[in-house]
Amino acid sequence: MHDTTRFGALKKEIPGMTNTILTSALRALEADGIVHREQFNVIPPHVEYPFTKKEKDLLPIFYQMMIRGFKHGED
């Protein structure tokens, strides 16, 4: 598990994800206190999304949801 994830890395991990949908999802997660957005004004500029304590507390639940999806994804 990484404590910080970049936008591009997230996009690569989610097949078929558009920039618009990913941006909307990340903004919603930020509004809910799940992730924090950090913008770095360097060359090249980039944005990172470190996890908050709230998100770390939810990891076991997210993991179980992922396992369920693998088991019942065709249902």
Side-chain angles (χ1 to χ4, degrees):
M1 178 183 90
H2 302 285
D3 286 337
T4 299
T5 305
R6 287 189 179 189
F7 183 92
L10 286 169
K11 190 163 189 290
K12 286 180 188 175
E13 292 292 322
I14 307 169
M17 178 64 65
T18 65
N19 287 349
T20 303
I21 298 297
L22 181 55
T23 298
S24 295
L26 288 168
R27 285 182 181 159
L29 290 170
E30 184 181 15
D32 290 338
I34 304 296
V35 297
H36 173 73
R37 184 179 190 273
E38 291 183 11
Q39 182 171 334
F40 296 87
N41 296 320
V42 295
I43 304 296
H46 67 274
V47 176
E48 294 181 354
Y49 294 90
F51 299 140
T52 63
K53 168 115 172 68
K54 187 176 185 180
E55 190 276 337
K56 288 179 182 178
D57 291 343
L58 293 172
L59 279 177
I61 296 166
F62 293 157
Y63 179 75
Q64 290 301 317
M65 290 170 64
M66 180 183 72
I67 296 298
R68 195 231 179 259
F70 287 143
K71 286 182 181 178
H72 305 285
E74 298 295 321
D75 296 347

